[in-house]
Amino acid sequence: MSMMSAERIKTILRHIAPPRHIRFILCTTMVGLVLFSLIRIALLLNNLDLVNVGVASSLSTLLKALYWGVRFDISFTTKLLLLPLAVIGVGAVVGRFNRWFGAVATWCTVVLMSVALMLDIVDIPFYDYTHFHINPTLVLGYLSTDASQAFNLIVGESSYIACAIVVCVVVVLYGLFTLRIARHYGLYEPRNDSRLRTIIYVVLLGGLIPFTVRGMSFNVRPLKGFEAAISDNGFINTLGINPVEPFVAGLISNYNRIFPMMDSAEAYAYVRNELGRDEHLAKRVDAKPSPWKNVVIIVQEGNSAERLQREGDDKALLSNLDRLIRQGLYFENAYSTSTQTSYGIYGLVTSMPPYLDLHPLKDGLQHPLNTIFEQLSKRDAISTIFFVPHDHNFDNVTSFLRMQGFERVVSRLDYGVETDDIWGVDDHVMFDYALQQIDDEQRQGNSVVAVLLTCTNHAPFNPPVVEGFTPKAADDEERAIEYGDWAMNRFLEMASTKEWFDETLFVITSDHGRFVREDYVMSESIFHIPVLFYSPKHIVSEVRSDIVAQADIVPTAISMLGKEYYNRAMGIDLTTESREYVVYSSANYFACRSRKWLYVHSPTSNTDTLYDLEAEGDARLRNVAREHPDVVERMCYHARATIQAGWDIHNDIEQTQISKQ
């Protein structure tokens, strides 16, 4: 009797057990979730130093972040496997789940999950370098500009090669496992299953979708990124997020160039009022006597002001710049437009603000913006030259610069030096050639306005062995920083022997900073850049604490040069004006900074973070947004208006905004 009962129970269980296709979905889902968790743990182990930097996190907070990570993974995986589940449902409705339905369901699972795992693994070295999750604009920007150079960048860095190997191994193993499970459950076999049972399970799983996309909760809305913000530690707040979902969302929005920060006319009116400009956002800067005939702007790759000894770094990697600062006009609170060289070039050349998650050298309407360089290039006896060490077409740089007023763009092939480095010639080679070109222009009686962009201090780091350069650091990255500092100083020493040296205003700055230490949601070291105006005969030593945007550098330099121009951009002349706020962005955030406050907003997770920069100790790193809603509102409005108006001007719709007012 008991045996018959056992048999009956087995029969009942057999009839109510999930059909083979459903078991396939459940099995591959569970394996995917385990892999996502393992990758998150790998990200954590790779960044353990960030857990207790700035605002320390307790073990309970760390475990809570990992718990949120599982919830985000479940939410994302549910959306990922909707397609194979739909295929199974269609097969059930048709009445015979044949081999074609099985093959489609299997390969949809393999491809979708493999791509997701690949992106999740690649996010680890990406985060290590940028300190934010993988972003489609940056990735596609590299691949679309020069795929071969992107490949060389990967093979030139050992950690990237290791990551590529791990990606291949994980993707292949997951694919083989999925195919094996598909065969195990007979997905390719055209046998009949209980049609009703399959439909019931598909409906049941479909009914669970609203629950799973909410992270296994009964909230009224799907899981949102801001819910992962559980502490004042920036890394902990990003640890729980599955980086693939915002990447996919960004990829989709990458083809939508509408910029919905705020109403365009309202933004334009606000910016006009803030800058004190006319209806065309223009302000005339008159000519005036000046001791200078030339301006040379040295833009060092990834040179954070946080590396200076005056900022507390005791490694003395920028010893020459530290010394030069004591001899010139230095702005200690200057910030780059964003985190990438393309934004640095754009902000410097056009004096315009950042555009979140867009590529300013390629996206939007590409047309002349009536930059200061364009105005200068139309005058006799003024030569505008931009020097880059790498290929002329990388990041669309040459086309953009020529459009914005540079008569010449000097690039890799112009130097006459063979090199297999992916970033072109070494800094000192570019500087030597630039000296020759400035000499030639001087002999022809021309003034020179030149920009020199260095690149040796860029990963993969490969500082050269060159006579006169004796590095102290053993680390390749730190040696590259030392080399960049040495090459810059060597250029100035050689220039000091030229007749035109005393008639030249030198500006030393950077395209963007680099991660030095963890502090705020967006590490300040990534944006904090040096801005030094140097001319030992005519400038006395001074350190100013004004808030400075990258966009202010050229208007100030050309004003000091004494040339008349119309400022139709958002940079200001620091010799006569000041600003309350500076706006900058990364791929995932935008920020507004004053002397007292730093406001950071994440559009993807809709989170506001506010820091009191005048607070003492760890209190400076606490999010006080809830205590100061008025400050949040004011700084958020300023940032949105600045970014919106800038993008509208970038797309040549200024007249549209005026007509709306």
Side-chain angles (χ1 to χ4, degrees):
M1 184 70 177
S2 60
M3 289 184 61
M4 290 181 61
S5 298
E7 286 297 324
R8 176 172 291 183
I9 291 172
K10 289 181 181 179
T11 302
I12 293 172
L13 290 176
R14 214 169 21 245
H15 283 296
I16 66 173
R20 55 199 171 101
H21 346 80
I22 300 299
R23 279 178 279 168
F24 165 79
I25 287 290
L26 294 175
C27 183
T28 53
T29 298
M30 290 304 299
V31 172
L33 290 173
V34 169
L35 289 174
F36 280 136
S37 291
L38 290 175
I39 295 168
R40 177 172 290 102
I41 291 172
L43 176 66
L44 170 62
L45 294 176
N46 194 53
N47 293 277
L48 275 177
D49 57 319
L50 303 183
V51 173
N52 291 315
V53 175
V55 177
S57 292
S58 64
L59 178 60
S60 61
T61 304
L62 186 60
L63 292 175
K64 187 176 180 181
L66 295 175
Y67 162 72
W68 276 99
V70 173
R71 294 185 62 186
F72 274 98
D73 291 343
I74 292 172
S75 176
F76 173 67
T77 306
T78 297
K79 301 167 189 173
L80 196 70
L81 296 180
L82 278 176
L83 182 57
L85 182 63
V87 170
I88 289 172
V90 171
V93 172
V94 169
R96 183 179 179 83
F97 194 83
N98 60 42
R99 60 182 300 180
W100 296 111
F101 283 106
V104 171
T106 300
W107 283 103
C108 280
T109 303
V110 169
V111 172
L112 292 174
M113 191 64 78
S114 295
V115 171
L117 291 171
M118 177 191 70
L119 291 171
D120 205 16
I121 295 170
V122 169
D123 179 66
I124 295 176
F126 189 92
Y127 192 95
D128 189 51
Y129 186 72
T130 63
H131 286 263
F132 54 81
H133 286 307
I134 187 169
N135 177 268
T137 301
L138 303 182
V139 173
L140 295 179
Y142 271 115
L143 293 177
S144 64
T145 300
D146 192 336
S148 64
Q149 184 149 342
F151 175 78
N152 290 332
L153 176 61
I154 294 173
V155 300
E157 179 70 30
S158 58
S159 62
Y160 297 167
I161 296 176
C163 176
I165 293 173
V166 172
V167 165
C168 293
V169 170
V170 171
V171 167
V172 168
L173 289 178
Y174 181 81
L176 292 174
F177 168 81
T178 306
L179 295 174
R180 183 181 179 87
I181 292 297
R183 286 194 298 270
H184 174 75
Y185 287 121
L187 256 68
Y188 301 136
E189 298 174 14
R191 69 175 188 240
N192 287 322
D193 290 272
S194 169
R195 181 182 183 186
L196 178 61
R197 185 156 50 104
T198 302
I199 292 175
I200 288 173
Y201 269 95
V202 169
V203 171
L204 286 174
L205 289 180
L208 286 174
I209 289 174
F211 177 66
T212 54
V213 298
R214 287 166 170 76
M216 307 298 288
S217 76
F218 293 100
N219 291 337
V220 296
R221 50 167 173 68
L223 204 59
K224 296 293 185 181
F226 70 85
E227 295 179 82
I230 58 175
S231 76
D232 288 310
N233 183 292
F235 171 66
I236 294 297
N237 289 342
T238 61
L239 181 63
I241 296 173
N242 185 309
V244 186
E245 184 164 10
F247 180 91
V248 173
L251 194 63
I252 295 171
S253 66
N254 210 44
Y255 298 97
N256 177 13
R257 291 309 176 205
I258 299 172
F259 217 65
M261 281 284 176
M262 64 185 299
D263 176 74
S264 293
E266 183 181 353
Y268 192 82
Y270 174 84
V271 170
R272 278 183 53 203
N273 182 66
E274 283 290 296
L275 295 175
R277 304 288 178 81
D278 65 18
E279 70 273 16
H280 300 289
L281 201 74
K283 180 178 181 178
R284 175 175 170 170
V285 177
D286 294 323
K288 60 185 178 183
S290 170
W292 299 293
K293 287 177 51 182
N294 313 298
V295 171
V296 174
I297 304 174
I298 301 171
V299 184
Q300 296 183 295
E301 161 63 35
N303 201 25
S304 174
E306 301 292 318
R307 287 291 190 187
L308 292 165
Q309 287 180 293
R310 68 185 321 278
E311 295 290 341
D313 194 307
D314 59 1
K315 293 183 179 180
L317 300 177
L318 300 175
S319 57
N320 291 303
L321 183 54
D322 264 307
R323 174 179 49 81
L324 292 171
I325 285 172
R326 295 192 292 270
Q327 303 171 20
L329 172 60
Y330 182 68
F331 290 89
E332 62 180 358
N333 287 316
Y335 299 89
S336 63
T337 301
S338 190
T339 62
Q340 301 296 313
T341 300
S342 58
Y343 284 90
I345 293 173
Y346 183 86
L348 182 78
V349 170
T350 66
S351 295
M352 295 295 282
Y355 309 120
L356 192 71
D357 205 22
L358 295 169
H359 194 305
L361 304 189
K362 294 190 290 187
D363 290 338
L365 178 62
Q366 296 295 299
H367 66 103
L369 291 169
N370 197 18
T371 66
I372 295 174
F373 293 101
E374 186 182 354
Q375 296 175 51
L376 294 175
S377 68
K378 295 177 181 178
R379 301 175 189 174
D380 294 335
I382 298 180
S383 296
T384 53
I385 314 172
F386 201 110
F387 295 85
V388 297
H390 50 64
D391 291 339
H392 72 282
N393 62 341
F394 184 75
D395 249 354
N396 195 44
V397 66
T398 296
S399 297
F400 178 82
L401 292 173
R402 293 296 298 271
M403 188 184 301
Q404 304 307 330
F406 281 91
E407 298 167 357
R408 295 173 56 199
V409 178
V410 179
S411 59
R412 184 182 196 134
L413 296 179
D414 297 308
Y415 299 105
V417 175
E418 291 293 330
T419 177
D420 57 0
D421 192 288
I422 65 170
W423 297 118
V425 301
D426 294 319
D427 295 351
H428 74 279
V429 174
M430 181 191 70
F431 282 134
D432 288 351
Y433 189 79
L435 278 173
Q436 297 173 18
Q437 299 304 302
I438 297 172
D439 274 340
D440 290 344
E441 294 292 340
Q442 297 297 300
R443 281 192 291 269
Q444 297 174 41
N446 295 329
S447 293
V448 174
V449 178
V451 180
L452 288 67
L453 174 67
T454 71
C455 237
T456 302
N457 186 23
H458 193 298
F461 303 105
N462 185 29
V465 177
V466 59
E467 183 180 355
F469 171 54
T470 307
K472 300 185 292 293
D475 177 79
D476 282 346
E477 180 177 358
E478 292 186 352
R479 283 204 319 254
I481 296 171
E482 283 187 282
Y483 166 75
D485 185 62
W486 171 84
M488 175 273 298
N489 187 66
R490 174 178 174 274
F491 169 74
L492 291 176
E493 287 182 344
M494 295 174 67
S496 68
T497 66
K498 305 291 185 179
E499 292 183 0
W500 46 264
F501 178 75
D502 288 337
E503 297 178 327
T504 302
L505 172 64
F506 294 91
V507 184
I508 304 169
T509 186
S510 180
D511 55 349
H512 54 82
R514 179 172 301 159
F515 181 81
V516 175
R517 63 180 65 89
E518 184 79 10
D519 41 37
Y520 311 115
V521 173
M522 297 163 65
S523 172
E524 184 149 291
S525 56
I526 302 177
F527 303 92
H528 190 192
I529 59 173
V531 173
L532 171 67
F533 292 84
Y534 176 75
S535 178
K537 184 176 180 179
H538 304 293
I539 295 179
V540 297
S541 176
E542 181 184 2
V543 175
R544 287 176 53 176
S545 57
D546 309 48
I547 289 289
V548 174
Q550 200 166 42
D552 304 333
I553 295 173
V554 170
T556 303
I558 303 307
S559 174
M560 293 172 71
L561 188 63
K563 301 298 182 182
E564 176 189 310
Y565 66 90
Y566 278 89
N567 189 350
R568 294 186 172 91
M570 296 191 192
I572 64 172
D573 173 8
L574 297 171
T575 66
T576 59
E577 302 172 277
S578 62
R579 60 169 69 247
E580 183 179 5
Y581 301 122
V582 61
V583 177
Y584 49 84
S585 75
S586 70
N588 303 319
Y589 301 93
F590 65 79
C592 182
R593 195 190 196 281
S594 68
R595 294 282 299 280
K596 177 174 174 55
W597 302 106
L598 171 60
Y599 166 75
V600 182
H601 180 78
S602 169
T604 55
S605 62
N606 194 31
T607 54
D608 293 317
T609 308
L610 182 70
Y611 301 100
D612 183 351
L613 302 178
E614 295 179 352
E616 297 293 332
D618 281 354
R620 179 177 174 145
L621 304 173
R622 304 288 182 190
N623 182 8
V624 294
R626 291 184 178 179
E627 293 93 283
H628 302 279
D630 55 328
V631 178
V632 169
E633 181 180 8
R634 184 168 67 251
M635 298 185 80
C636 182
Y637 188 91
H638 178 89
R640 289 180 180 275
T642 300
I643 296 171
Q644 182 68 58
W647 184 243
D648 291 339
I649 294 169
H650 177 93
N651 285 284
D652 197 27
I653 57 175
E654 176 188 343
Q655 295 302 321
T656 304
Q657 312 318 315
I658 296 170
S659 66
K660 287 181 180 179
Q661 296 178 51

